[in-house]
């Protein structure tokens, strides 16, 4: 469950961070659980991701970094670096979680604290770094360093540190964590170059559903099977983007094979269908040299309205043919018995022949 939450959180948080060509990011997502000992999960877990590829996780029980695949080796320096960072995150989250339980007057039940820390490279140039925190599903802390090194911090929870501690945290964030994150990001990009640089073209199709009662046509543009996940899918009316208030969907969803899908839909009333508008589904993706445009006819497709009638006709035709076949071939074969006396015997044939002579 927590991994599923983690994936959705990563996708939503990094969609704007790494939306340009040549942009890559490294993320650590940490979860701290407390308050319910019956939960079959470790108190602290941390997952490390390069873009959307899981590199490995930190095991709090073993106090070491475990790579995602058994074949991958981790040198001593990398093991110590990741373990030191994750131990620091663990202690910091534990302290803050216990404070928030008292401050928010929580008593029983499971309490979940989540922390997301990541940095990015924009065409091999260090970009921004950020930290997001949530407690029991509600965000309460956000810190961002932009490309110029300026810091923006948004506190929703009370500050529990002194001014000197906050200044030290800012210095540590800018001069230790950010350079360390960028250096690790470059190392992982070199190691995972084949997987990270892979490009798979999207398969795009248009789906139309017609509601006879309301005379409404729902037009859906679906792009699926693409990688990397950053894609621009737009519905156009007369060459202009359709108002976002009319669009439903647009969420980025993972496919089982590691690719992604996205769909956007809009509805056209009977009056809009009669108007002379042109509708287009346009897609841009890193795997495409040019944008992909697919024209959409606003009216309902006959193949969408009449397949049930055609199916009934086929069924009735098959039943009729089967009935005729059964009548013709299922009746028992009639055998006619003719008495042997009707046919002349060999002796009778000889007597008749003699009489003729």
């Amino acid at each position: 469950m927590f991994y599923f939450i983690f994936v959705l959180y990563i996708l939503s948080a990094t969609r704007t961070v790494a939306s340009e060509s040549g942009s890559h990011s490294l993320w650590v997502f940490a979860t701290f659980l407390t308050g319910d000992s019956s939960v079959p999960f470790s108190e602290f877990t941390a997952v490390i991701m390069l873009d959307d590829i899981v590199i490995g996780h930190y095991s709090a029980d073993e106090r070491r970094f475990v790579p995602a695949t058994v074949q991958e080796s981790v040198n001593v320096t990398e093991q110590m670096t990741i373990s030191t960072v994750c131990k620091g995150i663990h202690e910091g989250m534990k302290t803050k979680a216990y404070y928030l339980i008292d401050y928010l007057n929580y008593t029983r039940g499971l309490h979940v604290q989540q922390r997301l820390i990541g940095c990015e490279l924009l065409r091999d140039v260090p970009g921004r770094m950020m930290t997001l925190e949530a407690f029991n599903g509600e965000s309460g802390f956000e810190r961002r360093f932009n490309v110029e090194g300026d810091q923006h911090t948004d506190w929703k929870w009370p500050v529990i540190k002194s001014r000197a501690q906050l200044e030290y945290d800012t210095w540590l964030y800018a001069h230790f964590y950010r350079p360390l994150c960028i250096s690790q990001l470059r190392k992982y990009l070199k190691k995972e170059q084949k997987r990270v640089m892979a490009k798979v073209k999207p398969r795009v199709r248009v789906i139309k559903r017609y509601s006879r009662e309301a005379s409404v046509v729902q037009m859906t543009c679906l792009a699926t099977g693409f990688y990397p996940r950053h894609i621009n899918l737009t519905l156009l009316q007369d060459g202009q983007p359709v108002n976002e208030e009319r669009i439903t969907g647009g969420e980025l969803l993972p496919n089982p094979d590691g690719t992604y899908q996205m769909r956007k839909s809009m509805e056209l009333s009977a009056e809009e269908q009669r108007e002379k508008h042109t509708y287009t589904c346009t897609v841009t993706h890193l795997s495409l040299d040019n944008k992909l445009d697919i024209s959409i006819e606003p009216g309902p497709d006959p193949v969408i309205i009449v397949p049930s009638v055609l199916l009934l006709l086929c069924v009735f035709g098959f039943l009729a043919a089967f009935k005729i076949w059964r009548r013709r071939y299922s009746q028992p074969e009639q055998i006619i018995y003719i008495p042997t006396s009707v046919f002349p015997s060999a002796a009778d044939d000889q007597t008749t022949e003699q009489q003729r002579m």
Side-chain angles (χ1 to χ4, degrees):
M1 180 183 72
F2 293 107
Y3 182 76
F4 179 70
I5 297 174
F6 156 64
V7 171
L8 294 182
Y9 197 17
I10 283 289
L11 294 179
S12 61
T14 62
R15 183 178 299 179
T16 57
V17 172
S19 59
E20 301 180 21
S21 175
S23 174
H24 300 283
S25 56
L26 182 66
W27 299 98
V28 177
F29 183 83
T31 303
F32 177 77
L33 307 177
T34 185
D36 189 351
S37 58
S38 63
V39 177
F41 296 104
S42 177
E43 177 188 80
F44 177 80
T45 56
V47 180
I48 294 89
M49 294 188 72
L50 173 64
D51 292 346
D52 50 6
I53 299 174
V54 176
I55 300 299
H57 72 277
Y58 173 77
S59 173
D61 299 331
E62 302 177 13
R63 296 186 178 182
R64 69 184 186 93
F65 172 70
V66 181
T69 58
V70 181
Q71 293 80 8
E72 292 185 11
S73 59
V74 181
N75 57 45
V76 178
T77 303
E78 183 180 0
Q79 184 67 253
M80 290 183 60
T81 300
I82 298 177
S83 297
T84 302
V85 171
C86 290
K87 286 178 184 177
I89 295 174
H90 185 187
E91 294 301 321
M93 293 181 70
K94 180 186 293 187
T95 302
K96 185 173 289 186
Y98 291 150
Y99 174 81
L100 290 174
I101 289 174
D102 293 335
Y103 175 80
L104 300 173
N105 198 24
Y106 286 122
T107 54
R108 299 179 180 177
L110 176 66
H111 304 295
V112 182
Q113 186 182 1
Q114 297 168 301
R115 180 179 293 183
L116 175 69
I117 306 174
C119 61
E120 66 173 350
L121 280 174
L122 301 174
R123 298 183 179 88
D124 203 37
V125 177
R128 64 177 176 174
M129 182 178 184
M130 72 176 183
T131 298
L132 303 175
E133 288 193 31
F135 186 74
N136 287 347
E138 296 183 6
S139 60
F141 174 77
E142 179 179 327
R143 174 186 286 165
R144 297 177 186 268
F145 271 101
N146 59 22
V147 179
E148 290 76 19
D150 298 328
Q151 179 184 230
H152 168 74
T153 306
D154 183 14
W155 294 84
K156 295 182 181 178
W157 298 325
V159 180
I160 61 176
K161 293 184 178 182
S162 64
R163 184 173 181 179
Q165 289 176 319
L166 293 176
E167 291 178 354
Y168 175 71
D169 285 349
T170 301
W171 181 90
L172 196 66
Y173 200 83
H175 297 89
F176 177 72
Y177 286 114
R178 187 165 180 255
L180 179 63
C181 184
I182 294 296
S183 64
Q184 289 297 122
L185 174 53
R186 285 197 170 105
K187 289 179 182 179
Y188 283 128
L189 277 176
K190 187 176 181 180
K191 181 188 284 188
E192 303 290 342
Q193 186 173 7
K194 288 185 179 180
R195 287 200 293 172
V196 172
M197 300 300 179
K199 295 180 181 179
V200 183
K201 294 182 179 180
R203 302 189 302 272
V204 184
R205 55 180 295 201
V206 173
I207 305 170
K208 291 197 291 183
R209 294 182 175 89
Y210 180 69
S211 174
R212 183 176 299 178
E213 292 78 9
S215 299
V216 172
V217 171
Q218 183 190 61
M219 302 189 305
T220 300
C221 184
L222 169 65
T224 185
F226 55 87
Y227 187 88
R229 67 180 182 274
H230 313 297
I231 191 171
N232 290 324
L233 189 152
T234 309
L235 290 174
L236 305 177
Q237 177 180 324
D238 298 330
Q240 298 298 322
V242 177
N243 193 326
E244 287 296 327
E245 296 180 355
R246 300 187 58 187
I247 301 296
T248 58
E251 297 83 7
L252 183 70
L253 301 175
N255 288 327
D257 60 356
T259 61
Y260 294 90
Q261 64 169 284
M262 178 184 289
R263 68 177 66 201
K264 290 186 177 182
S265 304
M266 65 175 294
E267 291 186 349
L268 297 180
S269 63
E271 182 180 352
E272 289 175 316
Q273 296 173 45
R274 290 190 294 267
E275 296 174 351
K276 301 298 182 181
H277 293 296
T278 59
Y279 295 91
T280 308
C281 172
T282 180
V283 177
T284 57
H285 188 256
L286 293 176
S287 63
L288 301 172
D289 296 332
N290 301 304
K291 68 176 182 177
L292 181 62
D293 294 330
I294 299 179
S295 299
I296 309 175
E297 294 295 332
D301 286 337
V303 294
I304 298 178
I305 301 176
V306 296
S308 57
V309 178
L310 295 177
L311 180 62
L312 287 176
L313 291 176
C314 291
V315 171
F316 287 138
F318 174 78
L319 292 176
F322 178 75
K323 222 175 230 188
I324 295 173
W325 175 85
R326 188 173 182 181
R327 286 179 180 178
R328 179 175 298 178
Y329 295 100
S330 63
Q331 292 181 356
E333 183 179 358
Q334 296 181 358
I335 302 176
I336 302 176
Y337 293 94
I338 302 177
T340 54
S341 59
V342 175
F343 297 94
S345 62
D348 294 336
D349 290 343
Q350 187 175 3
T351 305
T352 304
E353 186 66 27
Q354 290 177 356
Q355 289 176 354
R356 288 178 181 175
M357 294 178 60

